[in-house]
Amino acid sequence: MRVTLSTTLTLVTCAVGTVLASFDAASYHMPRSALASDGYSFDQLADAYEQGLSDPRLPKRAIVKRFDPNTQATSKIGVFDTNTGESQGFLTIFGDFIRNTTTDPTLFQYSKLAGVGDKIDLEVSIQGGVVTKQLVVATKNTATTGLNSPNASPHTKSDLYAVAWPLRTPSGSTPTLDAIHETWFESAVWSVASDKTLSCTWINPDGSPVPLQPYFVVGQLHLSPSTAQLRPWGGPWYDIRNVTLKLVD
């Protein structure tokens, strides 16, 4: 059987495009396994994904604003010192990473129909509202073994970081692999208490929940089941700053 260069490239492109995640655009959730198609190269579609752009294959009539005032609310996320309660500003998105600011807070949107303790996504509307990024918790090291499990390395088992990606996972789901970033992630991990305090719970591969403590190190938002385990790493880990996150006006 004769295999042309075009056929070979198509097969390779389809193999590379297999990702266990969804592209979030309008009401569509596009499997990454379908990335290379309809005349677009994998690189073109991957670039759109990385920038949070809407999928160029979607018909323009399908591009609608995601925010629904009947079911969603918007809020800034305040940052407070866990020990003293002192306000330290707000969360802001810098590129994909989550940082602390006093002057340029990011406005997040979330389901106002969720009950106390329900797991929700925290979203950021981009590209004129046609797509959202989610406040995702991600890790490159721990998802396959579970946080604090006996099989996890003591040097990598407790650190996760927050990023803003156009990916989402269902509430209660175990870690999902994003092959482009070579990272495991979960998105619907946030819940809101009656006083608007946010809590975050990671789900291990065996389904066990792990409450996480948010903290800042080297200016970026990370999370861990035990920040005390990280301090012996030395260097910047000596300067971990535990924080409490709250929805604020």
PDB file of all heavy atoms in Angstrom, residues 186-202:
ATOM      1  N   GLU A 186      -7.539  20.082  37.550  1.00  0.00           N
ATOM      2  CA  GLU A 186      -8.952  20.050  37.914  1.00  0.00           C
ATOM      3  C   GLU A 186      -9.427  21.501  37.984  1.00  0.00           C
ATOM      4  O   GLU A 186      -8.669  22.385  38.367  1.00  0.00           O
ATOM      5  CB  GLU A 186      -9.162  19.358  39.266  1.00  0.00           C
ATOM      6  CG  GLU A 186      -8.726  17.901  39.283  1.00  0.00           C
ATOM      7  CD  GLU A 186      -8.839  17.260  40.656  1.00  0.00           C
ATOM      8  OE1 GLU A 186      -9.524  17.830  41.535  1.00  0.00           O
ATOM      9  OE2 GLU A 186      -8.243  16.179  40.858  1.00  0.00           O
ATOM     10  N   SER A 187     -10.707  21.746  37.626  1.00  0.00           N
ATOM     11  CA  SER A 187     -11.203  23.125  37.638  1.00  0.00           C
ATOM     12  C   SER A 187     -12.344  23.350  38.633  1.00  0.00           C
ATOM     13  O   SER A 187     -12.338  24.333  39.372  1.00  0.00           O
ATOM     14  CB  SER A 187     -11.637  23.562  36.236  1.00  0.00           C
ATOM     15  OG  SER A 187     -12.821  22.893  35.825  1.00  0.00           O
ATOM     16  N   ALA A 188     -13.337  22.464  38.653  1.00  0.00           N
ATOM     17  CA  ALA A 188     -14.492  22.668  39.542  1.00  0.00           C
ATOM     18  C   ALA A 188     -14.151  22.176  40.951  1.00  0.00           C
ATOM     19  O   ALA A 188     -14.714  21.204  41.454  1.00  0.00           O
ATOM     20  CB  ALA A 188     -15.721  21.950  39.000  1.00  0.00           C
ATOM     21  N   VAL A 189     -13.212  22.876  41.566  1.00  0.00           N
ATOM     22  CA  VAL A 189     -12.692  22.483  42.878  1.00  0.00           C
ATOM     23  C   VAL A 189     -12.990  23.525  43.958  1.00  0.00           C
ATOM     24  O   VAL A 189     -12.605  23.355  45.113  1.00  0.00           O
ATOM     25  CB  VAL A 189     -11.168  22.247  42.812  1.00  0.00           C
ATOM     26  CG1 VAL A 189     -10.845  21.056  41.930  1.00  0.00           C
ATOM     27  CG2 VAL A 189     -10.454  23.504  42.288  1.00  0.00           C
ATOM     28  N   TRP A 190     -13.684  24.608  43.577  1.00  0.00           N
ATOM     29  CA  TRP A 190     -13.901  25.725  44.488  1.00  0.00           C
ATOM     30  C   TRP A 190     -15.304  25.663  45.093  1.00  0.00           C
ATOM     31  O   TRP A 190     -16.261  25.278  44.441  1.00  0.00           O
ATOM     32  CB  TRP A 190     -13.730  27.049  43.747  1.00  0.00           C
ATOM     33  CG  TRP A 190     -12.405  27.150  43.060  1.00  0.00           C
ATOM     34  CD1 TRP A 190     -12.132  26.850  41.747  1.00  0.00           C
ATOM     35  CD2 TRP A 190     -11.172  27.540  43.655  1.00  0.00           C
ATOM     36  NE1 TRP A 190     -10.795  27.048  41.491  1.00  0.00           N
ATOM     37  CE2 TRP A 190     -10.179  27.472  42.628  1.00  0.00           C
ATOM     38  CE3 TRP A 190     -10.793  27.965  44.926  1.00  0.00           C
ATOM     39  CZ2 TRP A 190      -8.844  27.794  42.862  1.00  0.00           C
ATOM     40  CZ3 TRP A 190      -9.468  28.290  45.158  1.00  0.00           C
ATOM     41  CH2 TRP A 190      -8.510  28.205  44.137  1.00  0.00           C
ATOM     42  N   SER A 191     -15.412  26.082  46.333  1.00  0.00           N
ATOM     43  CA  SER A 191     -16.719  26.205  46.975  1.00  0.00           C
ATOM     44  C   SER A 191     -16.745  27.486  47.783  1.00  0.00           C
ATOM     45  O   SER A 191     -15.699  27.999  48.214  1.00  0.00           O
ATOM     46  CB  SER A 191     -17.033  24.996  47.856  1.00  0.00           C
ATOM     47  OG  SER A 191     -16.032  24.801  48.830  1.00  0.00           O
ATOM     48  N   VAL A 192     -17.949  28.029  47.984  1.00  0.00           N
ATOM     49  CA  VAL A 192     -18.129  29.320  48.646  1.00  0.00           C
ATOM     50  C   VAL A 192     -18.883  29.119  49.956  1.00  0.00           C
ATOM     51  O   VAL A 192     -19.980  28.549  49.974  1.00  0.00           O
ATOM     52  CB  VAL A 192     -18.917  30.299  47.743  1.00  0.00           C
ATOM     53  CG1 VAL A 192     -18.978  31.678  48.389  1.00  0.00           C
ATOM     54  CG2 VAL A 192     -18.281  30.377  46.354  1.00  0.00           C
ATOM     55  N   ALA A 193     -18.297  29.592  51.058  1.00  0.00           N
ATOM     56  CA  ALA A 193     -18.954  29.515  52.363  1.00  0.00           C
ATOM     57  C   ALA A 193     -19.965  30.645  52.503  1.00  0.00           C
ATOM     58  O   ALA A 193     -20.051  31.544  51.656  1.00  0.00           O
ATOM     59  CB  ALA A 193     -17.911  29.593  53.482  1.00  0.00           C
ATOM     60  N   SER A 194     -20.741  30.616  53.576  1.00  0.00           N
ATOM     61  CA  SER A 194     -21.777  31.636  53.782  1.00  0.00           C
ATOM     62  C   SER A 194     -21.184  33.032  53.934  1.00  0.00           C
ATOM     63  O   SER A 194     -21.838  34.030  53.631  1.00  0.00           O
ATOM     64  CB  SER A 194     -22.622  31.290  55.006  1.00  0.00           C
ATOM     65  OG  SER A 194     -21.799  31.141  56.151  1.00  0.00           O
ATOM     66  N   ASP A 195     -19.916  33.127  54.392  1.00  0.00           N
ATOM     67  CA  ASP A 195     -19.270  34.436  54.523  1.00  0.00           C
ATOM     68  C   ASP A 195     -18.441  34.798  53.300  1.00  0.00           C
ATOM     69  O   ASP A 195     -17.637  35.723  53.332  1.00  0.00           O
ATOM     70  CB  ASP A 195     -18.398  34.479  55.781  1.00  0.00           C
ATOM     71  CG  ASP A 195     -17.197  33.542  55.693  1.00  0.00           C
ATOM     72  OD1 ASP A 195     -17.136  32.720  54.741  1.00  0.00           O
ATOM     73  OD2 ASP A 195     -16.323  33.604  56.580  1.00  0.00           O
ATOM     74  N   LYS A 196     -18.624  34.050  52.191  1.00  0.00           N
ATOM     75  CA  LYS A 196     -17.968  34.280  50.903  1.00  0.00           C
ATOM     76  C   LYS A 196     -16.509  33.811  50.867  1.00  0.00           C
ATOM     77  O   LYS A 196     -15.791  34.098  49.901  1.00  0.00           O
ATOM     78  CB  LYS A 196     -18.031  35.760  50.493  1.00  0.00           C
ATOM     79  CG  LYS A 196     -19.447  36.306  50.378  1.00  0.00           C
ATOM     80  CD  LYS A 196     -20.251  35.575  49.309  1.00  0.00           C
ATOM     81  CE  LYS A 196     -21.630  36.184  49.118  1.00  0.00           C
ATOM     82  NZ  LYS A 196     -22.430  35.461  48.112  1.00  0.00           N
ATOM     83  N   THR A 197     -16.056  33.104  51.915  1.00  0.00           N
ATOM     84  CA  THR A 197     -14.717  32.537  51.879  1.00  0.00           C
ATOM     85  C   THR A 197     -14.670  31.378  50.887  1.00  0.00           C
ATOM     86  O   THR A 197     -15.561  30.536  50.843  1.00  0.00           O
ATOM     87  CB  THR A 197     -14.293  32.032  53.268  1.00  0.00           C
ATOM     88  OG1 THR A 197     -14.242  33.136  54.165  1.00  0.00           O
ATOM     89  CG2 THR A 197     -12.921  31.371  53.222  1.00  0.00           C
ATOM     90  N   LEU A 198     -13.611  31.349  50.077  1.00  0.00           N
ATOM     91  CA  LEU A 198     -13.427  30.287  49.101  1.00  0.00           C
ATOM     92  C   LEU A 198     -12.586  29.162  49.703  1.00  0.00           C
ATOM     93  O   LEU A 198     -11.599  29.414  50.396  1.00  0.00           O
ATOM     94  CB  LEU A 198     -12.718  30.814  47.857  1.00  0.00           C
ATOM     95  CG  LEU A 198     -13.520  31.763  46.963  1.00  0.00           C
ATOM     96  CD1 LEU A 198     -12.598  32.387  45.916  1.00  0.00           C
ATOM     97  CD2 LEU A 198     -14.662  31.012  46.281  1.00  0.00           C
ATOM     98  N   SER A 199     -12.988  27.939  49.431  1.00  0.00           N
ATOM     99  CA  SER A 199     -12.161  26.792  49.780  1.00  0.00           C
ATOM    100  C   SER A 199     -11.920  25.976  48.526  1.00  0.00           C
ATOM    101  O   SER A 199     -12.677  26.062  47.553  1.00  0.00           O
ATOM    102  CB  SER A 199     -12.819  25.937  50.867  1.00  0.00           C
ATOM    103  OG  SER A 199     -14.065  25.451  50.424  1.00  0.00           O
ATOM    104  N   CYS A 200     -10.850  25.188  48.547  1.00  0.00           N
ATOM    105  CA  CYS A 200     -10.446  24.422  47.377  1.00  0.00           C
ATOM    106  C   CYS A 200     -10.182  22.979  47.796  1.00  0.00           C
ATOM    107  O   CYS A 200      -9.480  22.732  48.782  1.00  0.00           O
ATOM    108  CB  CYS A 200      -9.188  25.038  46.767  1.00  0.00           C
ATOM    109  SG  CYS A 200      -8.620  24.230  45.259  1.00  0.00           S
ATOM    110  N   THR A 201     -10.736  22.027  47.037  1.00  0.00           N
ATOM    111  CA  THR A 201     -10.578  20.612  47.353  1.00  0.00           C
ATOM    112  C   THR A 201     -10.168  19.838  46.105  1.00  0.00           C
ATOM    113  O   THR A 201     -10.902  19.800  45.122  1.00  0.00           O
ATOM    114  CB  THR A 201     -11.879  20.015  47.912  1.00  0.00           C
ATOM    115  OG1 THR A 201     -12.306  20.760  49.051  1.00  0.00           O
ATOM    116  CG2 THR A 201     -11.669  18.559  48.319  1.00  0.00           C
ATOM    117  N   TRP A 202      -8.986  19.246  46.156  1.00  0.00           N
ATOM    118  CA  TRP A 202      -8.474  18.397  45.074  1.00  0.00           C
ATOM    119  C   TRP A 202      -9.038  16.989  45.235  1.00  0.00           C
ATOM    120  O   TRP A 202      -9.257  16.518  46.347  1.00  0.00           O
ATOM    121  CB  TRP A 202      -6.950  18.375  45.163  1.00  0.00           C
ATOM    122  CG  TRP A 202      -6.244  17.521  44.164  1.00  0.00           C
ATOM    123  CD1 TRP A 202      -5.817  16.232  44.325  1.00  0.00           C
ATOM    124  CD2 TRP A 202      -5.834  17.905  42.841  1.00  0.00           C
ATOM    125  NE1 TRP A 202      -5.175  15.793  43.196  1.00  0.00           N
ATOM    126  CE2 TRP A 202      -5.172  16.786  42.268  1.00  0.00           C
ATOM    127  CE3 TRP A 202      -5.973  19.082  42.097  1.00  0.00           C
ATOM    128  CZ2 TRP A 202      -4.646  16.822  40.981  1.00  0.00           C
ATOM    129  CZ3 TRP A 202      -5.440  19.107  40.819  1.00  0.00           C
ATOM    130  CH2 TRP A 202      -4.792  17.999  40.268  1.00  0.00           C
TER     131      TRP A 202
END
